[in-house]
């Protein structure tokens, strides 16, 4: 349990560094883009949204590359190195003086993210054993969801009071703690000396891998489209003061934490039904959020449900990808986080586009519902093709 807790501390830091930007976009844009902010706060927030997109792109590029390269090395040492790299990357964000350099630091901070979760998921699944793999994955992901209850609202509160950079000081310290804890508690965990990046990349020849990645990238883009601009939805649409933003983030984080734990159990019982029902529910709750965002109580309720439903999905998508990847486990586990951060980048980008086009701060939520619907279609295609293949195989075996 100590090893899983150490990994969860790192995932807490990852959740905080990825999501705290969303609650502080107005503060970051006012500080780093003062001229744009003075003329048009909406344009400044939309431009600052690129920090979310660039971090996500760093994850997309780094996750499969790092995971494939390090697959042959002992996993406990890999996890320590990744925690150290995350500490360094977030320290650069803390110290960078201009918007351009902060943007560059976010690109550099992103690559270890996906590999950390990918390799950590494999370690957790092995620790928990057969029949409980999704629960092991969910435990590591619990750090990510708890970050949305505690870390992101706390970081947002500190950033609003003392400047946004203080949030990244806290993040860097959390990653340093995770590195120490991993060194002390994660036991030796052998890699696969025969694995190479080229061998791991064979996972990309599997059609079901691509379909599952598509579900994560497009379906979760729906979640990120809404989440990326939640601060502006609270203040500009619901008309609440900025001090309410951390409260709404806590509400969403509680939903994510409960959803993640529920999702781990449901995925172990019926992965297919969990994925399909979760994507359908994500569409519904985002439509309801868009329709009621002007009322603060309703906003809080549906923000909670968006967090809950999206996190119910997360362990099932991670486990599904590991199931369809065959022997290519390291890169498959990491590719899930590439997919989710393609969703992060896409959702934040498309949300910024509709805001900049003058459709207002609720528009990204409608974009999110459309993306979730597209993810559901891909999931139906994936499971349909799998069922057809299974029937064909059974028929061939019967003929023989």
């Amino acid at each position: 349990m100590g090893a899983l807790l150490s990994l969860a501390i790192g995932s807490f830091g990852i959740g905080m560094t990825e999501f705290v930007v969303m609650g502080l976009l107005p503060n970051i844009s006012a500080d780093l883009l003062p001229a744009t902010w003075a003329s048009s706060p909406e344009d400044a927030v939309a431009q600052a949204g690129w920090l979310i997109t660039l971090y996500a792109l760093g994850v997309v590029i780094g996750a499969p590359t790092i995971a494939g390269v390090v697959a042959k090395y002992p996993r406990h040492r890999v996890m320590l190195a990744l925690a150290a790299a995350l500490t360094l990357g977030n320290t650069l964000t803390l110290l960078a003086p201009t918007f351009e350099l902060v943007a560059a630091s976010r690109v550099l901070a992103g690559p270890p993210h996906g590999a950390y979760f990918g390799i950590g998921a494999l370690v957790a699944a092995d620790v928990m054993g057969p029949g409980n793999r999704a629960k092991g994955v969910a435990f590591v992901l619990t750090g990510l969801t708890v970050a949305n209850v505690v870390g992101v609202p706390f970081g947002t509160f500190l950033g609003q009071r003392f400047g946004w950079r203080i949030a990244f000081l806290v993040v860097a310290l959390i990653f340093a703690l995770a590195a120490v804890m991993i060194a002390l508690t994660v036991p030796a965990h052998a890699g696969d000396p025969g694995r190479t990046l080229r061998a791991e990349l064979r996972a990309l020849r599997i059609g079901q891998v691509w379909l599952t990645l598509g579900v994560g990238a497009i379906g979760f883009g729906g979640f990120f489209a809404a989440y990326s601009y939640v601060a502006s939805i609270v203040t500009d649409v619901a008309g609440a003061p900025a001090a309410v933003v951390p409260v709404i983030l806590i509400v969403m984080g509680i939903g994510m934490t409960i959803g993640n734990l529920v999702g781990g159990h449901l995925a172990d019982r019926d992965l297919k039904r969990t994925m399909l029902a979760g994507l359908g529910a994500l569409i519904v709750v985002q439509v309801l959020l868009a329709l009621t965002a002007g009322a603060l109580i309703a906003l809080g309720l549906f923000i909670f449900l968006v967090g809950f439903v999206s996190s119910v999905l997360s362990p099932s998508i991670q486990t599904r990808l590991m199931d369809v990847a065959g022997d290519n486990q390291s890169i498959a586990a990491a590719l899930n986080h590439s997919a989710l951060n393609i969703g992060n980048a896409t959702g934040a980008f498309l949300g910024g586009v509709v805001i900049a086009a003058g459709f207002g701060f609720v528009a990204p939520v409608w974009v999110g519902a459309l993306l979730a619907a597209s993810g559901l279609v891909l999931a139906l295609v994936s499971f349909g093709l799998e069922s057809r293949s299974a029937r064909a195989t059974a028929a061939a075996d019967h003929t023989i």
Side-chain angles (χ1 to χ4, degrees):
M1 186 60 70
L4 294 181
L5 180 61
S6 298
L7 298 177
I9 290 173
S11 70
F12 179 95
I14 288 175
M16 190 170 176
T17 191
E18 181 171 19
F19 297 129
V20 76
V21 174
M22 299 168 183
L24 292 173
L25 276 184
N27 308 81
I28 294 171
S29 55
D31 180 38
L32 297 179
L33 302 166
T36 306
W37 177 266
S39 60
S40 173
E42 286 192 359
D43 287 347
V45 169
Q47 185 176 341
W50 275 99
L51 298 178
I52 301 169
T53 300
L54 291 171
Y55 178 86
L57 291 175
V59 178
V60 171
I61 295 168
T65 305
I66 294 174
V69 169
V70 304
K72 62 183 179 181
Y73 297 109
R75 289 172 180 163
H76 61 292
R77 294 180 182 173
V78 170
M79 295 305 297
L80 177 58
L82 292 171
L86 287 161
T87 304
L88 176 61
N90 284 276
T91 300
L92 292 176
T93 300
L94 165 66
L95 298 176
T98 66
F99 179 79
E100 291 76 14
L101 290 175
V102 169
S105 76
R106 298 311 287 158
V107 176
L108 294 174
H113 168 137
Y116 183 97
F117 274 123
I119 305 299
L122 295 177
V123 173
D126 286 348
V127 168
M128 294 297 288
N132 294 292
R133 294 182 309 141
K135 295 184 185 70
V137 171
F139 190 96
V140 175
L141 291 173
T142 296
L144 180 68
T145 57
V146 171
N148 286 278
V149 180
V150 180
V152 173
F154 180 62
T156 301
F157 171 80
L158 289 178
Q160 290 175 341
R161 297 299 185 276
F162 306 109
W164 63 269
R165 293 181 190 276
I166 194 71
F168 286 94
L169 173 60
V170 174
V171 168
L173 292 174
I174 290 169
F175 282 128
L177 173 63
V180 172
M181 292 292 292
I182 288 169
L184 293 175
T185 65
V186 175
H189 198 286
D192 187 346
R195 302 304 294 178
T196 64
L197 177 59
R198 182 176 180 180
E200 288 286 316
L201 287 173
R202 283 200 292 265
L204 298 179
R205 300 177 185 175
I206 302 171
Q208 285 288 357
V209 167
W210 283 105
L211 285 170
T212 307
L213 290 174
V215 173
I218 297 174
F220 260 79
F223 165 71
F224 286 114
Y227 193 8
S228 297
Y229 300 97
V230 67
S232 296
I233 293 173
V234 171
T235 57
D236 289 63
V237 179
V244 175
V245 174
V247 177
I248 293 296
L249 292 174
I250 289 172
V251 169
M252 175 171 267
I254 292 172
M256 293 175 72
T257 301
I258 298 171
N260 179 63
L261 296 174
V262 171
H265 287 276
L266 292 179
D268 280 328
R269 293 178 60 183
D270 192 328
L271 189 148
K272 176 181 177 180
R273 184 174 296 178
T274 301
M275 282 184 64
L276 296 180
L279 286 163
L282 186 57
I283 299 167
V284 172
V285 296
Q286 290 205 102
V287 169
L288 293 173
L289 173 61
L291 293 173
T292 61
L296 186 60
I297 299 300
L299 171 63
L301 171 63
F302 290 117
I303 280 288
F304 171 86
L305 290 176
V306 168
F308 174 83
V309 172
S310 63
S311 288
V312 165
L313 280 168
S314 187
S316 62
I317 294 175
Q318 176 79 79
T319 307
R320 169 71 174 170
L321 191 54
M322 292 162 65
D323 286 344
V324 300
D327 294 332
N328 310 293
Q329 293 287 291
S330 293
I331 198 167
L335 279 169
N336 180 53
H337 297 280
S338 288
L340 297 184
N341 278 273
I342 289 173
N344 190 345
T346 302
F349 171 74
L350 293 177
V353 167
V354 293
I355 290 171
F359 291 104
F361 288 115
V362 175
V365 184
W366 289 108
V367 171
L370 292 174
L371 289 172
S374 301
L376 177 59
V377 170
L378 281 177
L380 289 169
V381 170
S382 174
F383 287 116
L385 290 174
E386 185 176 67
S387 297
R388 182 183 301 176
S389 177
R391 288 194 299 268
T393 300
D397 291 342
H398 180 72
T399 301
I400 293 173

